[in-house]
Every structure is written in structure tokens, then in C-alpha cells.
Amino acid sequence: MKIGVLSETLQGERRVALVPDVAAKLATSGFAVVVEAGAGERASFTDAAYRAVGVVVETERWALLSKVDVVLAVQPPRIEDVTMLRSGAATISFLQPATQGAVIESLAAHSVTAFSLELLPRISRSQSMDALSSQGSLAGYKAVLMAANRLGKFFPMLMTAAGTIPPARVLVLGAGVAGLQAIATARRLGAVVEAYDVRPAVKEEVKSLGATFLELALESQKGEGGYAREQSEEFLSKQREMLTERVAAADVVITTAAIPGRRAPRLVTAPMVKGMRRGSVIVDMAAETGGNCEVTQPGQVVEIDGVWIDGTTNIPSTVAFHASQLYARNVSNLLQHLICNGELKLDFKDEITKGCCVTHAGRIVNERACQMMGVTAASEVTKSEVH
Ligand code: NAD
């Protein structure tokens, strides 16, 4: 079986889907690995490093696409790439069903079997394949460093001959994978950290990291599968009111709140930003899905009355070396899960395969993807279509 690794084309994307270490392991398991020339360059993996572990480096993208059985990528493939794939080939990448409907339609039309890492069920068995978690964790870490870099203050408390510097106050909104890593990082840098999440279940985790969990007198709606549910506008409005004072007291606010497949909840309004001290920093990790802060500009850093609002998108890409390493392990583990005796063997009774397979045998076969795309629900894969 031939595995191809694409060079990412999205502007600002520095990651690569397979690093030499993981490629070497796949090669020893009997796979032929082909990497597009320069694919790992921006994550500090040279073509020579791939060649050294027996990987073929292909300079022509079309040649790679037309000969491989499985394509590994970070970002969704482009339609022009899909048209070059063989019918029956497979892709593993983030697919962003909510915004990439046309690509998904084209994958189905070309009978490509496509897997979306966003849709991987987050169960214990799939933890080693969970790219949302690996990338979210790196992003949570980096978001704190970005804030610390911009803040004109120290994070730790410092007693010097010239006087005592109080520690920075950091508020983390949303304590999922990224939020918990942000809390841990801010604590390691010596800040005093507060956090809030609509899921009360995270309270103990927040406390175990040395942060204070904000108890708001609010009754949140319970979600499913460990995720938060979209809260009512009335709830969000009360939440904002109750958080106003905590936001004003913070030097740094890191927002990570998200609802899968929905627009990010609005937690920080323009008046709340105005209430912050000059020099304070907000890093809005939800910038890409609409932002947790009303004044966030996706992909930009803006300054309003002396307060910085950082809407940097694709934060994992700024930690490209380790982000690629973890991502490569995630995709390689998923690939191994889908393969039996050197061939793709899809078992649609398996929760992981069914959960993240989006197109197969010329159709869109995933209900969650259909919901996100706003198209009619897919039909089940029949026995004769499984190969
Ligand atoms: P996410 O990125 O979808 O959301 C981030 C956080 O925002 C969540 O904790 C959510 O509760 C919170 N949030 C949503 N609305 C909010 C609001 N109005 N105010 C404050 N916070 C709000 O979530 P995630 O980090 O990807 O993961 C969420 C859950 O999935 C966690 O419970 C995590 O433990 C679980 N998970 C399980 C596995 C596994 O078992 N394999 C792997 C990863 C994550």
C-alpha cells in the first residue's frame, strides 16, 4: 500500500501530516511512503531526513496524487487535488465539514474514501488518534506564551531590591483540552489563574492544576458525550454579566469556549473589553469559529483603548515541529486501525471508523458531517459497498 504525504498549501500552515520518525515506522510495517518535496520544510523536517528513512520524495504533486492509495494531510484537500486521486483512494485529514461542503461533495463524486479527524469519536479507544486533542493542547500552551509576550508585565511574583511585583492574573474561559493546558502553562509561569466552564465536571481538574474554579450561580444545560451544549441567549447574557468583574480584574484573558459544529459562544463583549486595564491582553482561541470576544478580528491583533485582542488563527501551526510530530502519530494510529493485512478494511460497525468516515463508495455517508454541511442525512453503507 502506498501512502502519500502532501505539502500543505493553506497560507500560514507550517505543519506536515507525517514526520520522518513515524514514516520510518510505517515503512518497517511494509508501507511505501511518498512525500511531496518540501512538505516538512516549514516544520523543520528536510527532504533529506525523509530520504534517510527510506521515504521517496516526489517533486510533482500530481504524480504523487495519482499513484497513492492513501493521502495524509493536515488541511482539507483542494478540489483540484481530489480530481487527481484514483477512484477508491482514501484521505485522512481535518475536513472542516461545516465550511468545506464543496470539497466533500467532490470527494464523494470521485469515489474517494475520506476521513475527517474532527469527527473522530472521542472515546478511550481513540485517544491515540485524537488530533483535536493533541493540537488543542499545543494551542493552549502557545496562547499563554503569546499573551505573556505581549503583556508589559511579569507573570510570576517577584521580590526585588527595587520592590515587589505582584503576579499576573489570568482568566481562562472554557476548560476543555486547550483551556486546561493554558491553565497549566500560566500556572507554571507563576500567574494567579481563575477559570470557568459551563461543564461543572471540570472543576476538580481546574483545581488540581492550582487554579480557582469560578462558581457562577447559573444552571447550564448538560451536553452529550462530555461536550458542552449550546446555552440559551439568556444564560449567556447572565454569564457575561457575572464574568464582567472577573474580566476587568484580569491582566490576561484566554478564551477557548466552543460547541462542536456551532458558532463559538460570545463571552466577552465590547463594553467588557473597555472595562479592562490598559495593557491587558485577550487571546481569543475561538477566533476561527466566530470568536468568544465581540471585537476579535480573526487572524489579526487589534488594540482597543490600550487592550490587545489577539485573534491569531491556526495557533498549532506556530508550534509546527511538535504539532506535526503528534499529528503524525494520531494519523498513523488511525491508519493502522483502518488497515488489515496491508489493505484498507472498513468495518462500519466500528464506532471509530463509522464516526469519522465522511465519504465512501461515491456517497457522503456521515450523518454528523451532513448536519454540519446542512444537507440531507446520509444513508448507511451497505455490505456490498464495504471494501
Ligand atoms: P471544545 O473545544 O469543544 O470546547 C472547549 C470548552 O469550552 C469545553 O470545555 C466546553 O465545555 C467549554 N464551553 C462551551 N461553552 C461555554 C461557555 N458558554 N462558557 C464557558 N465554557 C464553555 O472541547 P474540547 O476541549 O475539545 O473537549 C471537550 C470534552 O471532550 C472534554 O470533556 C474532554 O474531557 C472530552 N474529551 C474526551 C476525550 C476522550 O475521552 N478520548 C478526548 C478529548 C476530549
Side-chain angles (χ1 to χ4, degrees), residues 312-335:
T312 300
T313 50
N314 198 357
I315 297 176
S317 179
T318 67
V319 200
F321 182 89
H322 278 138
S324 302
Q325 200 168 65
L326 296 182
Y327 186 89
R329 289 187 196 142
N330 295 144
V331 288
S332 154
N333 288 330
L334 175 58
L335 186 64

Side-chain angles (χ1 to χ4, degrees), residues 19-294:
V19 300
D21 270 9
V22 183
K25 285 198 185 110
L26 289 175
T28 44
S29 315
F31 298 103
V33 185
V34 188
V35 170
E36 187 178 353
E41 211 70 54
R42 283 159 294 172
S44 311
F45 302 104
T46 59
D47 288 349
Y50 286 100
R51 283 198 191 95
V53 294
V55 169
V56 172
V57 175
E58 173 62 71
T59 47
E60 301 292 343
R61 189 175 177 95
W62 65 267
L64 180 147
L65 286 163
S66 57
K67 70 182 169 200
V68 297
D69 301 298
V70 181
V71 170
L72 305 181
V74 178
Q75 296 292 338
R78 299 175 306 181
I79 291 180
E80 58 262 47
D81 293 333
V82 175
T83 56
M84 280 183 252
L85 286 169
R86 289 186 306 99
S87 156
T91 63
I92 302 180
S93 68
F94 284 119
L95 260 189
Q96 298 165 16
T99 54
Q100 297 294 320
V103 170
I104 292 173
E105 305 269 1
S106 136
L107 286 159
H110 286 83
S111 285
V112 173
T113 301
F115 296 90
S116 166
L117 288 161
E118 294 94 339
L119 298 178
L120 186 92
R122 295 172 100 180
I123 54 178
S124 321
R125 230 163 23 97
S126 67
Q127 274 181 15
S128 66
M129 313 163 198
D130 187 351
L132 274 185
S133 286
S134 69
Q135 307 301 295
S137 182
L138 283 158
Y141 155 84
K142 188 62 187 279
V144 172
L145 299 192
M146 284 155 49
N149 204 23
R150 200 168 291 283
L151 187 72
K153 292 184 175 178
F154 251 58
F155 260 41
M157 184 174 100
L158 210 69
M159 290 200 226
T160 78
T164 300
I165 291 173
R169 305 194 72 89
V170 175
L171 173 64
V172 177
L173 298 178
V177 177
L180 289 170
Q181 189 57 251
I183 294 170
T185 307
R187 287 288 302 139
R188 267 184 241 125
L189 286 176
V192 171
V193 183
E194 293 182 321
Y196 174 72
D197 196 295
V198 281
R199 292 179 302 120
V202 294
K203 180 178 165 183
E204 290 313 313
E205 280 176 275
V206 167
K207 279 167 67 179
S208 73
L209 292 170
T212 306
F213 187 79
L214 293 178
E215 308 262 10
L216 305 186
L218 281 170
E219 193 75 29
S220 59
Q221 300 273 333
K222 273 212 178 82
E224 278 170 15
Y227 280 110
R229 194 172 137 183
E230 198 167 26
Q231 308 294 323
S232 65
E233 191 39 50
E234 190 193 351
F235 175 99
L236 288 172
S237 156
K238 275 198 194 135
Q239 178 179 344
R240 287 189 287 265
E241 198 184 307
M242 288 173 155
L243 283 173
T244 298
E245 187 201 323
R246 301 322 306 151
V247 169
D251 297 301
V252 167
V253 178
I254 310 275
T255 67
T256 78
I259 309 289
R262 304 279 165 143
R263 192 204 172 283
R266 182 119 323 146
L267 309 183
V268 181
T269 59
M272 285 163 89
V273 173
K274 277 194 184 294
M276 293 177 80
R277 284 187 295 273
R278 293 186 79 82
S280 303
V281 181
I282 297 175
V283 178
D284 189 345
M285 292 184 62
E288 234 152 327
T289 51
N292 289 141
C293 174
E294 189 180 351

